[in-house]
Amino acid sequence: MYGGGYVFCEPDVHGQPDDPERLAEFEARIDRGEKIEPQDWMPYEYRRQLIRLIEQHAHSEIMGALPEGAWITRAPGFKRKLALIAKVQDEVGHAQLLYSAAETLGKSRADMVNDLLSGKSKYSNVFNYPAKTWADVTVIGFLIDAAAIVNQVANSKGSYGPYCRALERICYEESFHLKQGYDAFVALATGTKRQREMLQDAINRWYRPIIHFFGPPDNESVHSKQLMRWKVKMASNDEMRNQFLDAYVPKVLELGLTFPDPELRKDPQTGRWHYGDPDWAEFYRVINGDGPCNAERLSARRLAEENGRWIRQAIMNPQQKFTIPFA
Amino acid sequence: MNPIVELITKLGDDAFILGHRHSEWTGLGPILEEDIAMSSMAQDKIGHALALYTILHEQFGGPDPDTIGFLRNEKEFRCCHLVEYPNGEYDFTLVRHFLFDHAELLRYQLLRQSTFAPLARFAAKVMGELKYHVLHADSLMQRLALGNEESHARLQASLTEAFPLAAGIFEKSPYEDQLIAEGVFAGEALLQQQWLKEIEQRVQAWDLHLPEAREPLAGLGGRYGYHTPYLQPLLDELTSVFRSEENASW
């Protein structure tokens, strides 16, 4: 998981203007489909927006570990327990990969983590909703991972080399999560009456955050034109949302489950999905810190950071030298 | 109880409960790299429990592994007290992991010679994983013991707390003599002796010390179904979803 619904920053009017010749050369490289590498020249704004994007993605992975991670100790049976630990572990591994990719642009992991904890950096809204039952874990594992894959596959074709390479591996692992998520989802959908009710309830609660996942509609997204030109943003929010609905709504309906949106339907003429008003004001409230679990998630992360500080300090001890290899 | 069943049950229960404790760190570890390492070991341990419960199921007609893991009562578990203790801070988790995994590696080295073939086969397989568990424990213990004043003090405090409990790993089974006589397992006394040598040597090199033996019964009882107050709440949580719907498949 878990890209999606990125919020890019306002263009920095105080930034240094870029050398027009180098900018033209840079844009020509992107047009030719070349990848930009850390040592290459890049526009100020490109670097800034990429740091923001990759950092948000990394934060989403580490924060995304929390709602599902809380169910590891309760996962029913060996198969689900092992799969869930492996999955959440993968997410933490993705955070590690992504922080490293962002570091190539000049911001340290510690600075990124501090900005997360202070609330300056954002992460995906979906993780600010509660995972109330085991069924929520299956909905996250199936539908939210599926949504994240749509987003990440698009991003993996972007222009920044380190990010693309991290995403290739991430997408590979995500597609496995999706299989596990779907398997657990189907087990409930085809299970007892109570299991089905539990699943339907989870879908009802997660529907809106999933619609929000890809971010506001295109007509509300600001300044994405230049970012698309530079292949930082690879597909429009509405395009990705439509692609997701097209692939996954039928899979849910065919299990006899429903979505809590009477307006949800595909227009046979245009092939576009129509959905009821998902209350975008809620999206902005949550991204700005006022969601059902923002405070809880951040305090869990903060506690983990604080509890781990003594270890980080001890292993950074520059006096320590180990010459004998451990392995 | 069949002596081999008793032996495999305690091995499986140790791995299951410690794996569960390790997995409580997933997503909350002190550094991303440690978070990932601890989650790997959690999966390995829980995987070992699954493999051992599968032996019980296949060789001795026991119930399926999920039933063994998720539907037994607290009294039927045979894990030692050390693995039941809450994670505490990372120092306790690490010291426990260090003490336990050294014993585990040596135990399976002995079990490779077991006359009970399924256990000998499992031992050979599991050694490859345990080698890395020990490597992880040793390398982090060393770095933290020699890191700075705080990390050294923390490891010493946790070692002082955990070391007496580790005696429970080697609590003799009621069938000890029979298992040794039949060549199933070389016995807890020998294992403890080998283990102490490994631990002492390392602890000394890292400028830590083992506490004087105090309470001779500390850490004992687990192998006979007498547990710490921490096990029942762990099992309540572990089995809460599984038990919430009878005859359901998840």
Side-chain angles (χ1 to χ4, degrees):
Chain A
M1 268 191 246
Y2 291 123
Y6 298 114
V7 180
F8 289 96
C9 27
E10 291 299 319
D12 182 355
V13 289
H14 305 295
Q16 291 288 315
D18 295 307
D19 177 343
E21 254 177 60
R22 294 188 119 172
L23 180 62
E25 205 180 299
F26 169 84
E27 291 190 335
R29 287 188 65 192
I30 290 187
D31 291 343
R32 289 196 297 271
E34 290 175 29
K35 299 286 183 202
I36 306 301
E37 297 298 333
Q39 68 277 14
D40 296 345
W41 184 90
M42 60 187 83
Y44 172 80
E45 197 58 18
Y46 177 83
R47 182 184 300 274
R48 214 172 133 255
Q49 297 285 9
L50 261 178
I51 291 176
R52 172 106 166 188
L53 168 78
I54 303 172
E55 179 183 349
Q56 270 181 48
H57 191 168
H59 294 334
S60 296
E61 300 281 357
I62 193 77
M63 299 303 273
L66 297 174
E68 287 177 286
W71 285 92
I72 286 175
T73 54
R74 292 171 283 178
F78 278 101
K79 179 175 153 187
R80 301 294 175 214
K81 194 175 178 76
L82 285 167
L84 189 59
I85 302 172
K87 187 208 166 170
V88 179
Q89 179 192 32
D90 283 351
E91 313 300 2
V92 178
H94 298 171
Q96 189 204 12
L97 275 175
L98 292 163
Y99 283 125
S100 300
E103 281 187 316
T104 64
L105 292 159
K107 186 170 180 181
S108 72
R109 192 200 284 186
D111 283 348
M112 290 185 263
V113 171
N114 286 340
D115 284 348
L116 168 69
L117 297 182
S118 73
K120 188 178 164 205
S121 291
K122 308 296 182 199
Y123 55 91
S124 189
N125 259 9
V126 278
F127 306 117
N128 287 320
Y129 289 85
K132 288 178 191 285
T133 69
W134 172 252
D136 293 46
V137 176
T138 73
V139 170
I140 295 171
F142 174 36
L143 294 175
I144 296 188
D145 273 79
I149 291 174
V150 169
N151 184 289
Q152 291 171 159
V153 166
N155 279 358
S156 72
K157 299 183 175 68
S159 62
Y160 190 58
Y163 186 42
C164 297
R165 289 189 287 274
L167 282 174
E168 270 169 36
R169 173 162 160 193
I170 290 173
C171 288
Y172 183 73
E173 292 182 356
E174 294 297 350
S175 54
F176 206 73
H177 300 171
L178 176 62
K179 278 185 198 165
Q180 291 171 339
Y182 185 61
D183 187 70
F185 186 94
V186 171
L188 296 187
T190 56
T192 65
K193 183 167 172 287
R194 249 192 82 232
Q195 286 176 311
R196 277 182 70 84
E197 284 168 359
M198 194 177 169
L199 181 60
Q200 183 61 59
D201 176 63
I203 295 168
N204 294 349
R205 285 181 289 107
W206 284 94
Y207 175 70
R208 182 179 285 178
I210 288 172
I211 293 289
H212 287 170
F213 183 81
F214 295 96
D218 294 345
N219 55 16
E220 284 184 37
S221 311
V222 278
H223 56 263
S224 56
K225 219 169 146 192
Q226 189 189 42
L227 294 175
M228 287 179 94
R229 163 104 217 254
W230 285 347
K231 295 189 184 165
V232 170
K233 190 171 170 57
M234 292 301 292
S236 86
N237 296 352
D238 284 338
E239 243 171 72
M240 289 188 286
R241 187 162 23 241
N242 200 65
Q243 197 187 329
F244 166 78
L245 293 171
D246 212 29
Y248 294 99
V249 168
K251 287 194 194 301
V252 174
L253 298 180
E254 78 187 9
L255 290 165
L257 298 156
T258 59
F259 288 101
D261 179 359
E263 291 181 51
L264 182 69
R265 62 169 191 279
K266 186 177 178 174
D267 182 336
Q269 305 289 314
T270 60
R272 305 292 293 182
W273 282 81
H274 174 82
Y275 48 88
D277 174 17
D279 186 10
W280 288 106
E282 176 177 319
F283 172 84
Y284 290 109
R285 271 199 309 278
V286 178
I287 199 106
N288 287 315
D290 197 15
C293 298
N294 295 55
E296 182 189 329
R297 300 278 185 253
L298 273 178
S299 79
R301 196 61 241 153
R302 203 170 286 131
L303 194 68
E305 290 296 321
E306 281 168 12
N307 287 342
R309 184 173 301 137
W310 69 272
I311 297 183
R312 293 192 298 277
Q313 280 169 353
I315 61 177
M316 295 295 254
N317 181 357
Q319 308 302 319
Q320 258 189 324
K321 285 199 186 88
F322 297 113
T323 47
I324 301 166
F326 293 122
Chain B
M1 200 190 270
N2 176 315
I4 301 179
V5 168
E6 200 267 349
L7 175 66
I8 295 178
T9 303
K10 78 177 178 189
L11 301 182
D13 291 349
D14 275 355
F16 192 34
I17 300 304
L18 188 59
H20 180 92
R21 285 297 188 209
H22 283 351
S23 79
E24 292 176 343
W25 283 107
T26 303
L28 298 168
I31 345 172
L32 296 180
E33 288 75 5
E34 264 308 295
D35 197 311
I36 294 164
M38 201 46 87
S39 303
S40 281
M41 291 186 290
Q43 290 167 69
D44 286 349
K45 295 274 183 253
I46 295 171
H48 300 168
L50 174 59
L52 290 160
Y53 295 160
T54 303
I55 295 177
L56 293 181
H57 177 57
E58 289 174 353
Q59 306 287 328
F60 298 94
D64 65 89
D66 273 348
T67 303
I68 300 176
F70 289 78
L71 292 179
R72 270 179 308 158
N73 295 323
E74 186 234 27
K75 203 91 185 79
E76 297 169 86
F77 274 78
R78 290 291 177 271
C79 46
C80 64
H81 290 188
L82 181 70
V83 299
E84 299 169 11
Y85 267 63
N87 283 335
E89 293 214 38
Y90 212 70
D91 42 72
F92 182 82
T93 295
L94 174 62
V95 168
R96 166 168 62 188
H97 153 45
F98 164 71
L99 295 173
F100 182 83
D101 276 313
H102 272 285
E104 197 78 339
L105 183 65
L106 294 166
R107 184 186 289 279
Y108 282 104
Q109 255 162 21
L110 295 173
L111 284 170
R112 284 175 75 170
Q113 317 300 324
S114 177
T115 50
F116 182 60
L119 198 50
R121 273 198 302 275
F122 173 70
K125 190 159 175 266
V126 89
M127 294 276 293
E129 290 175 16
L130 291 172
K131 182 182 133 195
Y132 287 99
H133 295 197
V134 165
L135 202 58
H136 174 266
D138 282 355
S139 62
L140 196 61
M141 282 288 292
Q142 178 178 14
R143 290 184 72 182
L144 293 177
L146 305 175
N148 61 27
E149 207 179 321
E150 182 186 2
S151 62
H152 182 271
R154 277 175 174 268
L155 289 199
Q156 183 57 61
S158 285
L159 188 60
T160 303
E161 184 187 355
F163 182 75
L165 295 172
I169 301 175
F170 313 101
E171 184 175 18
K172 279 186 186 157
S173 127
Y175 312 105
E176 195 74 10
D177 296 341
Q178 196 184 335
L179 288 169
I180 297 172
E182 289 172 8
V184 176
F185 174 52
E188 300 293 344
L190 175 67
L191 174 61
Q192 187 168 16
Q193 209 185 333
Q194 293 181 348
W195 170 83
L196 194 58
K197 223 173 105 195
E198 295 285 332
I199 297 297
E200 271 175 341
Q201 187 191 327
R202 284 172 174 73
V203 160
Q204 206 173 14
W206 302 332
D207 203 18
L208 297 167
H209 63 266
L210 297 178
E212 297 294 318
R214 291 174 305 181
E215 168 61 66
L217 295 178
L220 300 183
R223 305 304 189 201
Y224 292 81
Y226 297 102
H227 296 287
T228 64
Y230 306 118
L231 183 61
Q232 186 61 54
L234 181 152
L235 294 175
D236 290 342
E237 186 178 354
L238 172 78
T239 62
S240 58
V241 177
F242 195 86
R243 286 179 191 258
S244 68
E245 185 79 335
E246 252 179 74
N247 300 320
S249 114
W250 295 93

